[in-house]
Amino acid sequence: MKTFYVETYGCQMNVVDSEIVASILIRNGLIQTYNPQDADIILLNTCSIRENAEMRIKSRIKQLGSFKKTNPNLRLGIIGCMAENLKEKLFVELPQLDLLAGPDVYRLLPEILKQINDENKIINTTLSKEETYADVLPFRYDSNGISAYVSIMRGCDNFCSYCVVPYTRGRERSRDASSIINEVLSLSENGFKEITLLGQNVNSYHYRDIDFPALISLLAKNFPNLLFRFTTSHPKDLSIELIEAMASFPNIAKSIHLPVQSGSNEVLKRMNRKYTRDDYLEKVYLLRRLIPDITISTDIICGFCGETEEDHLQTIDLMKEVNYFFAFMFKYNERPNTLAAKKYADDVTDDIKSRRLKEIIDLQQKISYMLNKQDIGKIFKVLVEGISKKNEKEIFGRNSQNKVIVFAGDLTQKGQFVDVEVTNCTSATLIGRQNFDK
Ligand code: 5AD
Ligand code: SF4
């Protein structure tokens, strides 16, 4: 019996994909190990979004390749976005590798693994228009867990000019709604409390006559004891129906990740985002009007091709206007073969990118702290996730607004929704207490 080990890089989609891969391999008689040194097969499920993600993975492969000295039968594979993005080039650069498999061929992995031998490396990066792994129940790494990701769609058709994802994950396709409901049912029966519906752009989910607002409403109604979150939303596809669903179901979290990328219309246009700053802000105002306690998070790229100081100030200004509670902030990194790489010069120097990024990060920290301070004195329902990393007498969880709260307690409360009063905060965390005068 062969043993396999999977290591995951990148986004939440990859977390689920690794669980799908594990499920497929286990179903075919392989045994999972959590120690790469014990494995006959090591798979890295990879990310290509920025160059430094790829660099990290390459050096990890070099490190893992040294295990072949003590275990000559070890097979080493890169699966996922990086296999799709770089293809055979990886075999040249990393001779230790035996396998490259793109994100749509995981069902074939058991067969492919049998065909590999010392003379035969295998690459399969075929993309599919249909594959959603709808019938594969992911192997949950946290089987007594509380939170689970459920993939509802794959791929992306948006072709934002900086982004490699439409090339690495292929065309957008939505998963059969009944298979999603069955998976949520099974998670609910297994004690899970919180489900995050995942897709590159969940707002364009469409299966027969079920769109995303219909899907999440159906789930929220049928599973009143589960809390639903979702990510990621493309602002252009965020509909009033979804905002209304969020407003009307208490078990749909009051938080949305709405990547803006830039506050400048010129930059947004070159990024091929298909909305203007005003379109975006209108959606933000609508969200805040219908869901006053909502929190909004975002992704921001600074130093995109042709970004001027004025464009950058527009981003800064938009951040102040929206008051994001959290943001992922990046320097633009040109990815080969994307529309931007073909069409525009990567002409903002690294020094300027770094300075602008620092300004963005500093501002975000201030905004996060200011918003967290406004929560002091408020009482939130918090789903307890586990022990705090900093202090073992404290536990932590997140409220509906997706803010982390740390407070005194013990593990007997793991998986419960408890009331917590916020007493203090940092820019990253709320600090609270459970026993207060109600
Ligand atoms: N450079 C920098 N950031 C990028 N992202 C995607 N592509 C790039 C790139 N080439 C960011 C976007 C996206 C997030 C997942 O990663 O902000 O929303
Ligand atoms: Fe990339 Fe844009 Fe698709 Fe997001 S929506 S995965 S940024 S192309």
Side-chain angles (χ1 to χ4, degrees):
M1 290 260 228
K2 294 236 188 270
T3 54
F4 70 95
Y5 165 83
V6 186
E7 204 166 273
T8 307
Y9 294 82
C11 64
Q12 293 129 321
M13 289 295 288
N14 266 8
V15 174
V16 177
D17 278 5
S18 291
E19 296 181 334
I20 287 170
V21 166
S23 170
I24 290 170
L25 295 180
I26 291 167
R27 206 157 67 180
N28 281 273
L30 285 88
I31 295 170
Q32 179 154 229
T33 167
Y34 298 101
N35 181 354
Q37 260 157 323
D38 297 338
D40 303 307
I41 299 154
I42 296 179
L43 301 174
L44 302 194
N45 187 9
T46 58
C47 172
S48 281
I49 200 103
R50 280 168 293 274
E51 195 183 2
N52 56 11
E54 293 189 342
M55 306 273 275
R56 258 181 72 211
I57 293 160
K58 285 178 186 171
S59 65
R60 180 68 174 145
I61 287 287
K62 287 179 189 154
Q63 194 183 23
L64 292 168
S66 68
F67 294 173
K68 285 193 167 185
K69 287 186 203 127
T70 47
N71 179 8
N73 295 322
L74 173 65
R75 305 293 174 215
L76 206 50
I78 284 189
I79 63 173
C81 288
M82 212 172 139
E84 197 64 53
N85 193 34
L86 298 174
K87 301 200 167 63
E88 287 89 351
K89 276 182 261 176
L90 281 173
F91 281 146
V92 179
E93 196 177 339
L94 300 165
Q96 310 87 327
L97 277 176
D98 303 288
L99 160 74
L100 294 167
D104 287 346
V105 299
Y106 296 152
R107 275 177 208 278
L108 304 177
L109 278 177
E111 263 320 297
I112 293 176
L113 286 167
K114 279 186 208 149
Q115 290 159 15
I116 296 173
N117 57 48
D118 287 346
E119 277 80 52
N120 195 24
K121 296 172 184 268
I122 294 199
I123 170 165
N124 189 337
T125 53
T126 312
L127 287 174
S128 157
K129 291 201 175 94
E130 287 97 35
E131 181 62 274
T132 59
Y133 301 106
D135 57 316
V136 181
L137 207 54
F139 170 87
R140 300 284 168 193
Y141 282 104
D142 194 1
S143 63
N144 293 321
I146 294 152
S147 307
Y149 296 129
V150 172
S151 161
I152 64 164
M153 60 193 302
R154 299 179 71 83
C156 181
D157 285 351
N158 288 314
F159 290 93
C160 300
S161 64
Y162 50 81
C163 186
V164 81
V165 169
Y167 308 94
T168 61
R169 288 191 161 266
R171 298 291 53 76
E172 188 175 287
R173 64 220 99 123
S174 294
R175 175 176 171 190
D176 180 336
S178 59
S179 78
I180 297 171
I181 296 165
N182 286 339
E183 188 175 339
V184 172
L185 176 63
S186 135
L187 288 164
S188 159
E189 286 170 352
N190 282 304
F192 281 80
K193 297 286 163 41
E194 181 188 71
I195 306 287
T196 304
L197 304 173
L198 284 186
Q200 243 71 43
N201 178 15
V202 291
N203 300 107
S204 53
Y205 176 87
H206 222 283
Y207 186 80
R208 302 203 172 134
D209 55 351
I210 304 179
D211 61 7
F212 187 61
L215 177 74
I216 198 163
S217 300
L218 190 83
L219 290 169
K221 200 158 140 197
N222 283 291
F223 299 96
N225 297 325
L226 291 178
L227 177 64
F228 290 93
R229 302 183 187 274
F230 54 90
T231 195
T232 284
S233 296
H234 194 303
K236 79 175 163 52
D237 299 315
L238 173 63
S239 64
I240 173 88
E241 288 79 11
L242 178 61
I243 301 175
E244 282 168 352
M246 290 177 78
S248 55
F249 287 98
N251 59 331
I252 302 182
K254 305 298 174 254
S255 186
I256 189 165
H257 188 65
L258 201 61
V260 69
Q261 313 297 0
S262 169
S264 148
N265 282 333
E266 284 71 35
V267 174
L268 287 171
K269 196 150 197 260
R270 284 198 293 281
M271 286 179 162
N272 197 26
R273 288 291 286 177
K274 303 186 183 92
Y275 54 83
T276 63
R277 176 191 170 93
D278 283 349
D279 297 337
Y280 183 92
L281 285 173
E282 256 172 49
K283 300 224 168 158
V284 168
Y285 299 144
L286 192 62
L287 280 163
R288 294 226 189 269
R289 197 166 78 234
L290 298 188
I291 314 167
D293 59 343
I294 197 169
T295 56
I296 305 175
S297 54
T298 202
D299 295 345
I300 294 172
I301 298 177
C302 71
F304 185 66
C305 311
E307 186 188 76
T308 62
E309 207 53 33
E310 175 56 30
D311 293 324
H312 168 62
L313 292 175
Q314 293 265 313
T315 299
I316 294 275
D317 183 73
L318 180 126
M319 290 171 72
K320 290 179 183 160
E321 181 72 30
V322 180
N323 277 334
Y324 296 108
F325 86 105
F326 176 80
F328 292 108
M329 298 157 282
F330 312 103
K331 284 196 244 182
Y332 171 59
N333 177 229
E334 184 176 276
R335 306 306 288 131
N337 302 321
T338 53
L339 297 176
K342 289 180 188 156
K343 218 166 147 187
Y344 308 115
D346 179 12
D347 54 1
V348 179
T349 65
D350 193 55
D351 282 353
I352 294 180
K353 283 181 188 170
S354 298
R355 195 253 304 149
R356 289 182 187 165
L357 180 64
K358 185 175 181 311
E359 286 172 13
I360 287 172
I361 292 173
D362 288 349
L363 172 61
Q364 184 52 49
Q365 254 195 326
K366 275 193 201 131
I367 295 174
S368 295
Y369 186 56
M370 185 257 307
L371 293 176
N372 281 351
K373 273 208 309 213
Q374 291 175 2
D375 284 339
I376 293 176
K378 290 185 192 163
I379 293 164
F380 292 108
K381 222 168 237 349
V382 176
L383 175 58
V384 179
E385 290 177 36
I387 294 280
S388 148
K389 282 185 199 100
K390 288 192 189 139
N391 180 343
E392 61 181 37
K393 295 209 174 83
E394 289 180 339
I395 52 179
F396 77 98
R398 278 171 302 143
N399 63 7
S400 173
Q401 287 74 12
N402 213 10
K403 288 194 181 183
V404 174
I405 308 189
V406 177
F407 48 98
D410 61 65
L411 266 187
T412 56
Q413 292 184 308
K414 188 173 168 180
Q416 293 175 14
F417 287 94
V418 299
D419 285 330
V420 180
E421 183 191 26
V422 179
T423 53
N424 206 345
C425 70
T426 66
S427 66
T429 326
L430 299 177
I431 296 150
R433 59 174 181 180
Q434 291 193 69
N435 304 314
F436 50 86
D437 297 329
K438 287 188 190 173

